Amino acid sequence: MELSQRLSAVASLVTRGASVADVGTDHGYVPIYLAETGRCTHMIAMDINQGPLNRAEEHIREHGLTHRIETRLSDGLKSLKKGEADTMIAAGMGGGLVIKILEEAPELAADIREFILQPQSEIHKVRAYLNQNGFCLAEEKMAEENGKFYPVMKLRHGREPEYSEPELYYGRKLLYNRDKALHRFLIRERQRMKGILRELEKKTNGSVNHRCLEIEKELDRINRGLSYYGDRETGK
């Protein structure tokens, strides 16, 4: 099984030998890859919808892995039993759903040792929730695929200092490690925001002025992120 860059980043953060619950498994590609590479021996591929689960089951059969990957219809973690998984994966879903899955099954989440999360929206809200609810960032990567950027987080239970605003939006370890993909993302976003601002400044109505302030605030946050790379720009 060959994975996309996004899913490869997810799989690379899974601890070797862990038992895994892949929540929202869709096609089941990550569990198949983990089994075929020998990284993990037992996985539960879970999805809330029967259609994606059927596709996952078909792919698992095609790869001859039904003895190592179990499929289970589940709303988040609700069909998981305590002790069945060391690691939870939640990749390719909205940030609000990631938070909902953790909030709705606190006892199960408390039993899981590691969490590999790749939210596709509201990422700063996910980081804030994790930081405020006893999750500690262990590792962080950013995948770049077809012009899109995907941060992936590995977390364990524990406490760490409150995040700064740039850390919430761009990732504490990504910034501290001066991640190259994040740097490309920030440079691109700075150019995009500056272009939008130039167009808005040609107009004069009140709503546009308000939008200009929003863009300027975002540019300042991007610049604060870029300051980790020694690459802060103050002009427009």
Side-chain angles (χ1 to χ4, degrees), residues 6 91-95 98 118-123 148 150:
R6 176 178 72 85
M93 62 183 69
V98 172
Q118 190 266 302
Q120 298 219 32
S121 64
E122 300 181 302
I123 299 167
K148 295 183 179 179
Y150 303 93

Side-chain angles (χ1 to χ4, degrees), residues 124 163-170 217 220-221 224:
H124 66 291
Y163 279 37
S164 68
E165 187 183 34
E167 289 170 353
L168 282 176
Y169 277 83
Y170 309 128
K217 182 179 178 182
D220 177 67
R221 183 167 59 236
R224 281 186 283 150

Side-chain angles (χ1 to χ4, degrees), residues 24-28 45-59 61 70-75 79:
T25 195
D26 197 16
H27 293 80
M46 310 169 78
D47 207 286
I48 192 172
N49 295 311
Q50 190 65 56
L53 203 63
N54 290 341
R55 289 196 296 272
E57 288 171 350
E58 183 180 347
H59 294 144
R61 282 195 301 271
E70 178 186 350
T71 59
R72 197 175 292 179
L73 195 66
S74 180
D75 180 2
S79 295

Side-chain angles (χ1 to χ4, degrees), residues 7-210:
L7 293 181
S8 290
V10 171
S12 72
L13 292 181
V14 176
T15 298
R16 187 171 294 277
S19 54
V20 175
D22 183 23
V23 181
T25 195
D26 197 16
H27 293 80
Y29 291 155
V30 171
I32 291 169
Y33 175 86
L34 293 172
E36 288 188 334
T37 57
R39 197 175 188 96
C40 300
T41 57
H42 182 256
M43 282 140 288
I44 305 170
M46 310 169 78
D47 207 286
I48 192 172
N49 295 311
Q50 190 65 56
L53 203 63
N54 290 341
R55 289 196 296 272
E57 288 171 350
E58 183 180 347
H59 294 144
I60 291 163
R61 282 195 301 271
E62 288 173 354
H63 287 261
L65 292 168
T66 54
H67 62 298
R68 292 174 66 183
I69 306 173
E70 178 186 350
T71 59
R72 197 175 292 179
L73 195 66
S74 180
D75 180 2
L77 289 168
K78 292 177 183 177
S79 295
L80 190 71
K81 298 182 182 70
K82 280 189 175 183
E84 285 190 307
D86 305 311
T87 300
M88 167 190 157
I89 295 174
M93 62 183 69
L97 182 54
V98 172
I99 293 171
K100 180 174 178 283
I101 288 168
L102 294 171
E103 282 188 327
E104 288 186 347
E107 291 185 3
L108 289 167
D111 189 58
I112 293 169
R113 291 205 294 265
E114 296 182 337
F115 303 80
I116 315 297
L117 308 179
Q118 190 266 302
Q120 298 219 32
S121 64
E122 300 181 302
I123 299 167
H124 66 291
K125 292 183 180 179
V126 175
R127 289 193 179 106
Y129 171 83
L130 295 167
N131 186 245
Q132 294 162 12
N133 287 274
F135 295 88
C136 181
L137 185 64
E139 199 172 343
E140 199 167 25
K141 290 187 175 184
M142 178 171 269
E144 183 178 358
E145 183 179 356
N146 298 325
K148 295 183 179 179
F149 294 84
Y150 303 93
V152 187
M153 299 168 269
K154 178 176 183 174
L155 301 112
R156 300 186 180 108
H157 296 289
R159 294 284 179 182
E160 60 181 333
E162 188 175 345
Y163 279 37
S164 68
E165 187 183 34
E167 289 170 353
L168 282 176
Y169 277 83
Y170 309 128
R172 173 172 283 170
K173 287 190 180 292
L174 293 177
L175 288 168
Y176 286 176
N177 294 331
R178 297 177 183 174
D179 182 86
K180 291 180 180 178
L182 175 61
H183 188 238
R184 289 192 293 274
F185 170 78
L186 290 171
I187 291 292
R188 188 189 72 175
E189 287 301 287
R190 182 170 66 185
Q191 291 305 114
R192 189 172 72 86
M193 289 296 109
K194 286 165 68 176
I196 293 171
L197 187 59
R198 281 193 295 268
E199 290 302 311
L200 287 173
E201 286 177 337
K202 295 175 183 177
K203 303 174 184 179
T204 57
N205 66 68
S207 61
V208 169
N209 288 338
H210 176 70

